[in-house]
Amino acid sequence: MSVPLRRLRETPRHLLVCEKSHVRHERSRHAAHVRSHAYNCRVSFLIPECGILPEALKSVITDIGEYYLVKNLSLHELVTHEFINTFVKKGSCYALTYNTKIDQDNAAALLPTGKLIISVDKDTYEELGLQGRPSQYSGKKVMRYIVTIDLTDSAFDPDSKKHKRVLWALREKKPLEFDFLLSWHNTVLGAEGSTLMSYFSKNQIQAHKPKTTFSTLRNLQCPVFHSNELQGKLEESCSAQELFEWLGAVWNNVGLDNKSFSFLSTYCCPQPSTVVEQAYLCTITGFILPEKIIQLLEQLCCYFDEPKLAQWVTLTVHGFADSPVSWRESEHGFQKGGENLYNFVVFRNLDYWLQMAVGANDDCPP
């Protein structure tokens, strides 16, 4: 028993990548980073010295959009040309299997690029008969495979052998059925046609609105940090990593004073620090599209158009723990923790820090 117990005590490997830029710089990649992280379940922002949100920021939150839960949807319905022509080619379509465990179950995800990613166990892969690759987290004995199908490929037209084989494999040879989270962002000017609700009206489909909570934090102890000191400076400012850990404590309502009688946490705010009289905290949970997050980030940047007491704002985005991918098409796993998240710290002068974090089964973020 000693070996398994020792392994449980080991700290899981994690990666934190930080970069610095300016929102208005012509080479800034902040929007591209947001777009490349497709599946987001929680978005939180923190504004120090703020009592009331500006109307423009409230409007973005109100217009965050709906998403849909479709029960018992056969995977082959996502590769029909009717679905591809209606949604995939006329906007950004997002689909993610719901309540599946990425290390144990079969799972699938449709990216806005039109790539369908299918993560399956060894038996399912052999029954499907579609070309794929071993999961990079399989170890010596391959037990999981990844199949990628490009629905926008010119060779994937209705009469092609490729399309017919994929449709046959998913509809007849090895039917796969999941509950799916779905959302669609129409990017084609003047495009009309069916909505997801009407298209899947014969299925069990439910519309959901992301849940939003607001709170005001009083007398919040905050680390002192400066935009030009990413690594921090001894006794003058805290580093980006210290800030990232502090934010985690704030989001989880962890005490920051390291009281001797606390059995839950011995964490304390990094030094040097200051006390903010009040800070506005907003958290949105649901199936949240990158397009909406970009709008939210832009409004947070506009927060500094008029004089404010705040020196900075933060925007933190959490990805789904059991998504088959994290950034772009990078394979994502769970193992000891399925974290994949990023955080923007936007300063008054519109410099920003971008922090991207993943857990044990992930490549380094882009």
Side-chain angles (χ1 to χ4, degrees):
M1 289 295 292
S2 61
V3 173
L5 287 174
R6 186 166 63 247
R7 286 178 180 172
L8 284 174
R9 289 195 297 267
E10 292 174 358
T11 303
R13 163 192 172 272
H14 68 274
L15 288 169
L16 176 63
V17 176
C18 303
E19 65 177 55
K20 176 182 176 294
S21 187
H22 190 279
V23 171
R24 305 305 178 206
H25 193 281
E26 60 180 6
R27 294 186 180 179
S28 175
R29 300 188 300 161
H30 63 281
H33 278 299
V34 175
R35 289 192 188 95
S36 65
H37 196 268
Y39 306 111
N40 310 290
C41 63
R42 187 172 72 180
V43 178
S44 303
F45 64 82
L46 179 70
I47 308 177
E49 306 293 2
C50 175
I52 301 175
L53 285 185
E55 288 301 320
L57 194 52
K58 283 184 183 177
S59 178
V60 173
I61 296 169
T62 303
D63 191 36
I64 205 71
E66 288 185 329
Y67 63 96
Y68 302 91
L69 173 60
V70 185
K71 297 286 190 71
N72 305 316
L73 179 64
S74 297
L75 188 57
H76 78 263
E77 293 193 40
L78 299 185
V79 301
T80 65
H81 275 274
E82 183 182 2
F83 180 82
I84 295 170
N85 291 331
T86 304
F87 297 105
V88 177
K89 291 185 177 179
K90 291 184 178 178
S92 300
C93 192
Y94 300 78
L96 180 66
T97 49
Y98 181 64
N99 275 344
T100 52
K101 297 179 179 178
I102 192 61
D103 290 344
Q104 302 174 27
D105 305 327
N106 296 326
L110 174 60
L111 288 163
T113 58
K115 296 283 185 69
L116 178 63
I117 312 292
I118 311 172
S119 176
V120 293
D121 58 42
K122 183 175 181 288
D123 292 341
T124 303
Y125 179 71
E126 291 175 349
E127 290 182 67
L128 273 174
L130 297 175
Q131 185 176 359
R133 59 173 177 79
S135 166
Q136 65 187 66
Y137 307 116
S138 289
K140 292 182 179 179
K141 187 177 181 181
V142 179
M143 299 302 294
R144 178 161 292 273
Y145 288 82
I146 308 298
V147 177
T148 302
I149 303 167
D150 187 354
L151 305 184
T152 63
D153 187 353
S154 58
F156 204 66
D157 63 72
D159 298 319
S160 68
K161 290 182 179 179
K162 184 176 182 179
H163 180 260
K164 288 178 180 178
R165 178 166 181 79
V166 169
L167 198 59
W168 171 75
L170 295 176
R171 185 169 57 189
E172 299 177 33
K173 195 167 190 291
K174 181 59 179 177
L176 295 174
E177 191 175 88
F178 303 98
D179 294 347
F180 271 99
L181 294 174
L182 283 165
S183 194
W184 182 52
H185 181 72
N186 186 346
T187 56
V188 177
L189 186 63
E192 298 178 358
S194 158
T195 64
L196 288 167
M197 179 64 88
S198 61
Y199 187 88
F200 291 108
S201 59
K202 294 180 181 179
N203 300 80
Q204 300 178 56
I205 183 169
Q206 303 168 347
H208 293 272
K209 186 85 172 177
K211 179 183 177 182
T212 305
T213 60
F214 303 96
S215 60
T216 299
L217 307 180
R218 303 287 181 185
N219 299 318
L220 180 64
Q221 192 176 9
C222 301
V224 172
F225 53 94
H226 305 299
S227 65
N228 60 342
E229 295 173 0
L230 198 63
Q231 301 294 330
K233 205 168 185 179
L234 186 63
E235 298 182 354
E236 292 185 20
S237 64
C238 298
S239 68
Q241 182 164 346
E242 288 174 313
L243 170 68
F244 192 76
E245 292 170 351
W246 173 81
L247 278 172
V250 172
W251 300 142
N252 290 285
N253 198 27
V254 174
L256 303 175
D257 45 15
N258 189 18
K259 291 179 179 178
S260 59
F261 55 81
S262 174
F263 292 95
L264 295 177
S265 170
T266 58
Y267 180 80
C268 58
C269 183
Q271 298 299 319
S273 67
T274 186
V275 175
V276 172
E277 185 177 338
Q278 63 179 6
Y280 200 96
L281 172 63
C282 174
T283 299
I284 307 165
T285 54
F287 191 49
I288 307 160
L289 299 190
E291 288 85 357
K292 298 297 181 181
I293 296 172
I294 289 174
Q295 293 176 11
L296 186 56
L297 180 60
E298 284 295 327
Q299 280 304 317
L300 286 171
C301 294
C302 292
Y303 181 76
F304 295 110
D305 286 351
E306 297 179 4
K308 297 290 193 305
L309 290 174
Q311 300 291 323
W312 49 265
V313 299
T314 68
L315 176 70
T316 308
V317 180
H318 288 258
F320 283 86
D322 285 291
S323 166
V325 297
S326 53
W327 273 270
R328 300 194 183 105
E329 297 173 31
S330 297
E331 186 183 348
H332 174 63
F334 194 96
Q335 200 181 38
K336 293 181 180 179
E339 61 271 16
N340 63 111
L341 66 149
Y342 61 90
N343 177 63
F344 281 99
V345 185
V346 182
F347 296 88
R348 182 185 288 182
N349 64 355
L350 296 188
D351 281 349
Y352 71 83
W353 293 352
L354 171 59
Q355 302 162 308
M356 298 172 283
V358 291
N361 277 7
D362 277 274
D363 287 334
C364 186

